[in-house]
């Protein structure tokens, strides 16, 4: 792929680069996206599976769905898209990953500065005493468990529709976006708010916006550079091209 000269120039002089990622970056690891062709929300109802009311109506159904997705995440690993983002830390002073994903694959790829806007599927917490539990605590439990400490309901530590994002993390992500020199928007439909404000904040702060996606999205018209294709292919090509230029 040919990369625009302007993008390479911007990257060469960048001090701070932000990667805003969504489900598409994990698609090549075998994790389903939410929207678009084959997306989860084409066959499942978000209001049943990804809302507090849905969980209260049928905790076992929601728990079972999360246990199923956890197994998929455990059985796979980061792909070249994730590992390339981690590798950028070798060449750029300040690299931040702001992810909407809950799959922990950026951690597993070795990125060190990750802001998770929608939580992490590998954690649970007690809705009563707020004790947090790790992935191993309820590993093979098939029905929604109760807290060993207080008997309260245990839920996944993810952000469902209608719930607030972790405010400190969101504020930090917005700050990082505003001060970034280049902002990559990778594998997201950019329709879920407030997360989708992150690239808008970056633009407001004067950042150079680069989208990597297999198809046009809500923000394609806003970006400075659109690279159409799979992130697991484009990102490794980009870093190799960049390394040849520095
Ligand atoms: C590839 C690829 C490859 C494929 N390479 N690319 C303003 C307007 C309208 C509505 C709202 C609004 N503000 C808030 C709302 C409501 C709602 C919302 O945004 N709804 C819209 C959908 C209409 N937002 C909320 O409810 C949020 N909370 C909130 O607003 O609270 C307010 C409040 C105020 C006061 C009191 C209380 C509350 C919370 C949103 C939580 C989202 N949760 C989920 C589930 C997380 C847990 C879990 O995983 O189970 O987060 S939903 C789901 O969508 C998940 C994702 O993180 C999120 C974003 O999806 P993403 O990552 O963009 O994935 P896709 O599938 O949409 O796109 C994949 C892309 O990849 C596609 O573009 C493909 O083309 C591409 N792709 N393969 C590159 N190989
Ligand atoms: Zn408890």
């Amino acid at each position: 792929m040919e990369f625009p000269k302007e993008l390479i120039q911007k990257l060469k002089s960048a001090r701070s680069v932000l990667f805003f990622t969504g489900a598409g970056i994990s698609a090549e690891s075998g994790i389903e996206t939410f929207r678009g062709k084959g997306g989860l929300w084409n066959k499942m109802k978000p209001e049943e599976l990804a809302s507090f009311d849905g969980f209260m109506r049928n905790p076992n159904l929601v728990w079972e769905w999360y246990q199923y997705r956890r197994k998929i995440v455990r059985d796979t690993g980061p792909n070249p898209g994730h590992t390339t983002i981690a590798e950028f830390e070798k060449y750029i002073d300040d690299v931040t990953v702001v992810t909407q994903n809950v799959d922990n694959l950026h951690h597993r790829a070795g990125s060190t500065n990750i802001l998770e806007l929608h939580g992490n599927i590998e954690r649970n917490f007690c809705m009563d005493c707020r004790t947090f539990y790790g992935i191993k605590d309820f590993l093979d439990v098939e029905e929604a468990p109760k807290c060993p400490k207080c008997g309260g309901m245990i839920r996944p530590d993810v952000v469902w529709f209608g719930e607030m994002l972790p405010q400190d993390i969101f504020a930090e992500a917005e700050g990082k976006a505003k001060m970034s020199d280049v902002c990559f928007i990778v594998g997201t439909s950019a329709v879920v708010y407030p997360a989708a404000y992150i690239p808008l904040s970056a633009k407001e702060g004067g950042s150079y916006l680069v989208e990597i996606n297999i198809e046009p999205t809500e923000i394609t018209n806003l970006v400075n550079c659109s690279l159409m294709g799979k992130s697991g292919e484009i990102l490794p090509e980009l870093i190799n091209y960049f390394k040849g230029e520095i």
Side-chain angles (χ1 to χ4, degrees):
M1 173 178 266
E2 273 295 304
F3 296 103
K5 277 207 167 59
E6 193 185 23
L7 163 61
I8 303 301
Q9 271 318 114
K10 292 279 178 190
L11 269 181
K12 274 161 87 174
S13 61
R15 217 196 60 74
S16 174
V17 171
L18 185 135
F19 289 88
F20 176 63
T21 65
I25 195 166
S26 297
E28 289 153 84
S29 295
I31 299 177
E32 287 170 295
T33 61
F34 295 94
R35 298 167 192 82
K37 230 191 287 160
L40 281 167
W41 296 153
N42 291 332
K43 40 191 181 188
M44 321 279 218
K45 289 195 176 137
E47 60 277 21
E48 268 175 27
L49 294 169
S51 80
F52 181 76
D53 290 348
F55 180 61
M56 292 313 277
R57 268 196 300 274
N58 198 343
N60 287 341
L61 176 81
V62 175
W63 179 260
E64 194 188 325
W65 186 58
Y66 277 91
Q67 290 294 71
Y68 163 77
R69 288 173 60 206
R70 284 170 173 144
K71 184 164 168 24
I72 293 172
V73 167
R74 260 201 320 277
D75 291 347
T76 187
N79 67 55
H82 300 100
T83 51
T84 300
I85 290 178
E87 194 187 347
F88 265 109
E89 292 188 19
K90 288 191 201 155
Y91 305 100
I92 287 157
D93 286 349
D94 181 23
V95 176
T96 305
V97 179
V98 175
T99 189
Q100 299 166 89
N101 298 347
V102 297
D103 58 27
N104 215 24
L105 292 184
H106 285 298
H107 280 286
R108 285 165 65 187
S111 284
T112 59
N113 191 11
I114 305 163
L115 299 171
E116 294 174 324
L117 297 181
H118 292 160
N120 189 312
I121 201 169
E122 303 208 320
R123 283 192 307 264
N124 290 294
F125 70 93
C126 169
M127 284 162 49
D128 287 351
C129 73
R130 313 288 294 184
T131 299
F132 281 80
Y133 293 95
I135 183 76
K136 296 204 178 99
D137 291 309
F138 305 104
L139 198 58
D140 292 318
V141 177
E142 287 172 10
E143 295 200 342
K146 294 282 171 359
C147 176
K149 281 194 182 162
C150 78
M153 288 175 81
I154 298 288
R155 60 163 281 180
D157 186 19
V158 299
V159 180
W160 285 324
F161 283 112
E163 293 187 322
M164 298 275 278
L165 274 62
Q167 293 301 288
D168 47 343
I169 294 178
F170 186 73
E172 193 179 342
E174 276 213 300
K176 280 290 192 176
K178 281 196 182 124
M179 60 158 284
S180 67
D181 301 306
V182 179
C183 172
F184 286 92
I185 302 127
V186 188
T188 176
S189 56
V191 295
V192 174
Y193 283 87
Y197 284 126
I198 297 299
L200 305 183
S201 297
K203 186 154 185 92
E204 205 182 291
S207 189
Y208 183 81
L209 265 51
V210 187
E211 180 174 49
I212 302 179
N213 202 302
I214 53 171
E215 59 187 29
T217 70
E218 289 294 302
I219 53 154
T220 305
N221 289 335
L222 267 181
V223 301
N224 300 90
C225 166
S226 166
L227 305 174
M228 211 68 90
K230 293 182 175 178
S231 46
E233 293 171 3
I234 292 184
L235 279 164
E237 270 187 56
L238 174 62
I239 204 165
N240 283 336
Y241 190 92
F242 174 68
K243 282 181 338 200
E245 294 277 314
I246 52 175

